[in-house]
Amino acid sequence: MSTINTQHSDKWSINFSNIPGYKPNDRDNLNNFNIYDLYVKSVTFPSYSIKLTASDYMNHKINHQISKQNDDFSELNITFKLSEGLLNYFYIFNWMRSIREGINIDAEKWFRLNFIKAITIHFLDNEKRPTYKYTYENCFITNLSDLSLTNGEDEQLSFSITVTYEELRVEKEEC
């Protein structure tokens, strides 16, 4: 009889479909999309909940699912290692600044479409084969953390982002 394997915290990968305003150059290895996909240090996988409404009938409380779509998803939190020259930080900062100033940074048909189209998290088994794919669609970064700079210490810098998304899709992947 075999034992059941458990999921480990380091068996996952993440991919970003785009960062508005960032156009990677495939010929230059220093300027490609790996500064986002491979520099992710950690992800806080968001909770998932639904809202209920209640009715009272003959001194009993009866719960019902709400009729409108549950659209208040928890936020996704991602921590990155800072790339040399702050390149991965700069493009996120530049995108957020363009949103604040109303600049259509990606030349989309509508300003509202300046978002990350999809962030995909693949859960992997113990042999690093994909098992489930969680896709967060229409993502906006709502918070870019500060950078803590210190003199006399040589530590790797990191920063975090908070992501709000409009849709979540879950798919089982075949190994």
Side-chain angles (χ1 to χ4, degrees):
M1 186 168 141
S2 64
T3 60
I4 298 173
N5 288 329
T6 58
Q7 184 69 38
H8 294 266
S9 65
D10 65 342
K11 301 289 192 281
W12 55 275
S13 68
I14 190 167
N15 299 103
F16 295 82
S17 64
N18 66 306
I19 299 291
Y22 179 60
K23 305 282 188 260
N25 181 355
D26 293 332
R27 294 170 292 160
D28 183 1
N29 196 28
L30 297 174
N31 188 22
N32 63 32
F33 227 79
N34 289 343
I35 65 170
Y36 293 102
D37 295 343
L38 298 180
Y39 278 65
V40 172
K41 194 173 185 178
S42 66
V43 174
T44 301
F45 196 72
S47 62
Y48 191 70
S49 59
I50 62 170
K51 289 190 176 180
L52 300 175
T53 187
S55 61
D56 294 319
Y57 180 71
M58 299 180 73
N59 295 327
H60 293 285
K61 179 180 176 182
I62 303 169
N63 288 317
H64 309 276
Q65 304 90 328
I66 61 173
S67 60
K68 76 176 202 101
Q69 179 181 1
N70 278 283
D71 54 0
D72 9 334
F73 292 120
S74 297
E75 296 172 326
L76 181 66
N77 294 302
I78 303 171
T79 302
F80 291 90
K81 294 179 278 188
L82 187 63
S83 63
E84 190 173 20
L86 291 94
L87 194 59
N88 56 358
Y89 184 90
F90 168 76
Y91 282 107
I92 292 173
F93 174 83
N94 193 42
W95 168 40
M96 291 180 74
R97 188 181 68 204
S98 72
I99 288 173
R100 289 186 75 178
E101 296 173 2
I103 299 170
N104 192 349
I105 196 167
D106 254 358
E108 291 283 351
K109 186 173 181 179
W110 293 290
F111 174 73
R112 187 242 180 276
L113 297 177
N114 282 290
F115 51 65
I116 301 171
K117 308 303 185 238
I119 298 174
T120 305
I121 299 176
H122 300 271
F123 280 88
L124 310 173
D125 66 9
N126 289 331
E127 294 180 24
K128 299 215 177 203
R129 297 175 297 195
T131 56
Y132 281 94
K133 176 171 74 169
Y134 285 73
T135 305
Y136 301 89
E137 296 176 340
N138 304 345
C139 304
F140 288 94
I141 296 175
T142 58
N143 186 46
L144 175 63
S145 72
D146 53 4
L147 292 174
S148 181
L149 306 174
T150 56
N151 281 322
E153 294 180 31
D154 187 15
E155 294 180 1
Q156 214 177 51
L157 292 176
S158 63
F159 67 95
S160 298
I161 61 173
T162 302
V163 179
T164 300
Y165 50 95
E166 294 177 355
E167 191 61 46
L168 169 62
R169 282 188 297 112
V170 180
E171 300 171 50
K172 183 163 177 52
E173 295 188 305
E174 297 299 322
C175 295

